[in-house]
Structures are given as C-alpha cells and as structure tokens.
Amino acid sequence: MGRVIGFDKGTRTTSKVINEKLEDIEYLLKDHYNEFLLRRIPLSSERVINAYFGNGMKEITLIKYSKKLLQEMEKRIDIERGYITHSRYVRTVNLLEDYIWVITKKKDEETKIEGKEYDIPIRMLTPDFVIGFDNYLRNLKDEEGKDLLAHNQVLKYVQRFKYFFKEAKYEYDKESNYNFPDSFIK
C-alpha cells in the first residue's frame, strides 16, 4: 500500500499517523480477504471493501436481540423452561440495559430516560464489557448500602448474559464474515 512522505517536522508527525492508519486498513482488508478464502466465498474487490465497511450487514445489537430471544423463550414457557427461569432472563436483560445506560450516559443525564433504548452493537462487545458488567453487578447497593446481589447471583447473571451473547454472536457471525475469537467468552 502507498506511503505518505513528509519533510518538515509537523508533516512527519502527520505522515506517521497517516501511514499507521493505512497499515491498519491494509491489515483489515487482508484479514477480510483471507476470511473469504478460508470460507471459500467467491472473491471480488467490491465484496472485500463491503466487508471492510460493513455494507450489506444489518447491525445486531445486544439488547434488541436479547429481547427477541426473550419473546421466543416466552412461547416455550412450560415446554422447555419455567416462568421463574424466564423472569430471571428478563431481569438479566434489564440489568444489562441499566449497565449500558451507565457506561453510555451523557453527563447531564441523571436518570434513565423512559422509552429510550440503551443498547450496544455486538461488534463493540469486548472482554472489558463483561468484566465491567460483573463489577457493576457486584457494586449494586440497596437503600441501606447493602449489596443487592450475593456472589452466586452475580455469577448467574453473568452466565445468563453469556447465553444472550453467544446467540447474538452466532447471528452476527452468520451475517458478517467475522468470527469472534473462540477465547472471547467460554
């Protein structure tokens, strides 16, 4: 890929930044190209560029997809799962939405705005998100300052989050030509 060359001090810094960005783009394009080769998907430059920009993909978000799964799960109450189990999954989604509000809220937003959806695209989830969710749950307090959730409850909510994440990840992998690393969440 081409390189930018600069001669004065200010231009060299700018050139360095531009060259680093070009290297990142080149790496991602090669990654998409190799992914197509591995999956034996017919290649074209247009297809690789579309994969790079995410064109032709619908955005899959955690909360929206989790609520869709909850609706499907609700239809199977008393067949595969009980009502109590379903209500725990609903609570997990509500806690996830609260956590997403906490990490994405604007400084002037004191309380959650009723009716506004707080969500995050699947592709934006990182191991740090999971660690943050775990910490958020561990630090929830009631009015008296006592822990709202016991250690075991926190683990159960994280486990239920994993269910939603794995299902959404599978859908995302199907839609895009990207696979989350296997080590991301087990």
Side-chain angles (χ1 to χ4, degrees):
M1 199 171 249
R3 310 244 341 132
V4 176
I5 301 172
F7 293 103
D8 64 83
K9 188 175 182 177
T11 310
R12 281 191 203 153
T13 306
T14 306
S15 299
K16 184 178 179 182
V17 170
I18 291 171
N19 285 330
E20 287 172 357
K21 184 64 179 168
L22 287 172
E23 288 171 6
D24 291 344
I25 292 170
E26 180 181 25
Y27 173 80
L28 290 171
L29 287 171
K30 284 182 179 178
D31 189 46
H32 287 295
Y33 173 84
N34 291 330
E35 188 68 33
F36 285 132
L37 285 178
L38 284 172
R39 292 180 180 220
R40 298 180 186 206
I41 297 172
L43 279 171
S44 73
S45 59
E46 184 179 338
R47 181 171 274 160
V48 173
I49 291 169
N50 282 340
Y52 172 77
F53 286 112
N55 297 340
M57 285 181 5
K58 63 180 180 183
E59 187 74 83
I60 298 172
T61 57
L62 180 64
I63 301 300
K64 195 175 287 183
Y65 194 78
S66 298
K67 286 182 178 179
K68 178 182 163 193
L69 288 174
L70 285 174
Q71 289 174 342
E72 293 171 10
M73 193 184 291
E74 191 172 16
K75 295 174 188 170
R76 298 188 314 258
I77 289 178
D78 294 332
I79 298 170
E80 288 180 13
R81 297 183 184 195
Y83 177 78
I84 301 290
T85 302
H86 178 264
S87 66
R88 289 179 179 149
Y89 278 91
V90 169
R91 176 80 174 124
T92 301
V93 171
N94 291 339
L95 286 168
L96 276 168
E97 197 169 12
D98 291 345
Y99 172 63
I100 292 169
W101 171 74
V102 167
I103 63 174
T104 61
K105 72 178 178 180
K106 297 181 177 52
K107 291 179 182 166
D108 61 338
E109 209 174 308
E110 291 294 320
T111 59
K112 254 175 96 176
I113 299 169
E114 205 58 42
K116 182 176 178 185
E117 285 194 9
Y118 298 91
D119 212 342
I120 189 168
I122 291 297
R123 62 183 168 76
M124 302 295 286
L125 293 178
T126 62
D128 289 337
F129 178 87
V130 181
I131 292 167
F133 181 57
D134 181 76
N135 289 333
Y136 171 75
L137 295 174
R138 290 179 192 283
N139 292 314
L140 285 176
K141 307 282 184 203
D142 63 9
E143 293 83 25
E144 298 169 3
K146 295 179 184 172
D147 288 341
L148 198 59
L149 301 171
H151 175 72
N152 190 47
Q153 288 175 304
V154 170
L155 296 176
K156 289 290 187 181
Y157 283 117
V158 171
Q159 183 181 13
R160 288 185 205 109
F161 159 72
K162 257 172 77 172
Y163 166 77
F164 291 120
F165 173 76
K166 283 185 174 187
E167 292 295 318
K169 174 187 154 318
Y170 173 75
E171 188 68 25
Y172 180 78
D173 288 348
K174 235 174 35 177
E175 291 291 321
S176 69
N177 290 309
Y178 175 77
N179 283 321
F180 280 90
D182 289 335
S183 62
F184 182 75
I185 271 191
K186 290 200 177 196

